[in-house]
Structure formats: structure tokens, C-alpha cells
Amino acid sequence: QQAKFFALSTLQSCLDRTFKSGEGPGLATTPPPIAPMPPEARLEVRLGLLAFIAEREMGQEESFIRTKLAVVLALCIKNDYPDQWPSAWVDLQQLVDHGNANTELWLRILAAVDEEIVSFHVDRQPGEVARNTAVKDAMRCHVDAEGRSAVAHLCGGLFQVARAHGAVGPHLASLALSTYQRFMGWIDHSLVLSDQVLDLLAASAALDSEMAEAALGCALEMATKGLSRDETKVTVAASLL
């Protein structure tokens, strides 16, 4: 486990270095001691990590290994989506079809995406901020043959996990809702305030305390999202009563 953690930490450092050098999407002025990872090496890393996940039972890996793996994959997205890895979200969402442990890993990846790409950090350089903005814009704007954006697919997957595990695996379901809450502040209003979302939150709040806490967290985020009419906030609150 220590060897895995060291290897993943090294990959994390190399991938993150792209945004702290004068090369790649990052535009820093002072290069690091080691050059950032080139695109062909990033492809090898990505394929290797996906193969690692496919060949192993993730439930047998330590929690800190799964967290570090999630961070490295989030950095792969940060570096290469959408130009070098246009299928990133489809590839990763397939984890949901391969058991609870892989579903939990997918949720960890989304949490890492929020931390590495979505969340604001004052120490980020302008090039890194610009790259993060480009990734979020692509998630919102690039659509598939069905006319659905990457964000819409992710929200659909989160709703699927919350519904499927609400009664039998509340931890995964509440984690899905908490992950959805992380994204609510910057995604389209139509993916936040809809009958589907309100019905899901109301059903989740009635299951157990963990689910209720996650559902109420989403409701609070809805109410503070800056919706234009006060009546919409009343609708959010009333749906959970």
C-alpha cells in the first residue's frame, strides 16, 4: 500500500506541475526543477490507471489509496479534457456499473474534481484559473448525440445512485447527494430546480438521518443559488416538509 501511495503521489505531483510551469495549459513564469508531464505520457498514465481499476477490487484498497487515485484522475481531467480526453466523463461514469466500491470511487473522483477544478483557491495562478474555467465551460457546453451536456450526464448519474441506494445503501446515496450539492453552485438552473430533483430530495429526506442531512444540504444550496423569484425558494422548502 505504501508503494502504491508513493507512486500515486508522484503522478499527482507530475500532473499538477503542468500548471506551475511555463508549458502546457498553465502559464506560470518560473519553471519547476522537473519538466511537466508531456501529453503522450499523460495518456499512458490515464490508460494505466483505468486498467488498474478494472483489474482490481476497489473495496480491498485502503481508503487513502482510493482518495489519492481519485485526485490523480481529477488532474488527468484538468490536463486533458476535452481536447485530449473527450470521453472522460463517459469513461469514468461506467464505474457505477461495476459495484458499490467502484461507485464510491466515482464519487471520490467527482469530489476531487470539485477541489481541483471547481473550487476557488486564492493561490492559483492565472493560467490555472483559465484552464479550470475552460474545463467547466466544456462540461456545460459540449453535448452528445442526445443533446445532453457532460454536466447533465453527471447529474443523471448522481440521481441514479441516490435513488438506487437510498433504501439499501444510505451512505452511498447520501454521498451522491453531497456530491451533487458541490456542483449546484455553477451548473444550469434547469439541473437544480426541477420536479425530478425536488421529488428525489423529498424521498431522500424521509429515509434516515444521513439521507435527510444530505437532502437538506442540497435544499439550502438551492435556496442560496440566487434564484430570481422568492416563490421558488418556498417551493424548495415545501417539497421537503
Side-chain angles (χ1 to χ4, degrees), residues 45 136 162 167:
V45 167
K136 290 191 291 184

Side-chain angles (χ1 to χ4, degrees), residues 194-211:
S194 67
D195 290 341
Q196 178 189 24
V197 176
L198 294 173
D199 290 345
L200 175 62
L201 296 184
S204 299
L207 290 176
D208 73 352
S209 58
E210 187 176 9
M211 289 290 292

Side-chain angles (χ1 to χ4, degrees), residues 9 12 29 50 53 73 93 102 114 123 127 145 175 208 220:
S9 297
Q12 177 184 352
T29 57
L50 294 176
I53 295 170
L73 284 168
Q93 195 163 329
N102 281 6
D114 175 74
D123 59 342
L175 188 57
D208 73 352
L220 178 61

Side-chain angles (χ1 to χ4, degrees), residues 116-136:
E116 296 292 339
I117 300 172
V118 175
S119 296
F120 172 77
H121 291 280
V122 295
D123 59 342
R124 282 185 173 146
Q125 300 174 17
E128 184 177 4
V129 173
R131 178 61 190 158
N132 287 350
T133 301
V135 171
K136 290 191 291 184

Side-chain angles (χ1 to χ4, degrees), residues 90-167:
V90 174
D91 294 346
L92 294 174
Q93 195 163 329
Q94 291 175 355
L95 292 171
V96 175
D97 299 326
H98 297 281
N100 290 357
N102 281 6
T103 298
E104 195 234 16
L105 176 61
W106 179 64
L107 296 173
R108 287 177 187 247
I109 293 169
L110 294 186
V113 166
D114 175 74
E115 177 65 24
E116 296 292 339
I117 300 172
V118 175
S119 296
F120 172 77
H121 291 280
V122 295
D123 59 342
R124 282 185 173 146
Q125 300 174 17
E128 184 177 4
V129 173
R131 178 61 190 158
N132 287 350
T133 301
V135 171
K136 290 191 291 184
D137 287 346
M139 291 173 67
R140 286 182 289 226
C141 298
H142 289 198
V143 297
D144 60 14
E146 300 175 354
R148 299 183 68 197
S149 67
V151 170
H153 275 292
L154 291 177
C155 289
L158 291 171
F159 299 156
Q160 175 188 343
V161 171
R163 283 193 299 265
H165 295 274

Side-chain angles (χ1 to χ4, degrees), residues 180-200:
Y180 173 62
Q181 181 184 351
R182 290 173 175 260
F183 285 80
M184 289 171 67
W186 63 277
I187 63 177
D188 188 83
H189 280 61
S190 64
L191 297 172
V192 174
L193 192 65
S194 67
D195 290 341
Q196 178 189 24
V197 176
L198 294 173
D199 290 345
L200 175 62

Side-chain angles (χ1 to χ4, degrees), residues 1 4 49-63 65-66 69 95 97-105 172:
Q1 296 291 346
K4 292 177 188 176
L49 292 177
L50 294 176
F52 175 84
I53 295 170
E55 294 167 0
R56 285 166 174 76
E57 171 52 56
M58 284 294 104
Q60 297 179 0
E61 299 291 343
E62 296 287 350
S63 177
I65 295 294
R66 284 176 279 151
L69 178 59
L95 292 171
D97 299 326
H98 297 281
N100 290 357
N102 281 6
T103 298
E104 195 234 16
L105 176 61
L172 273 181

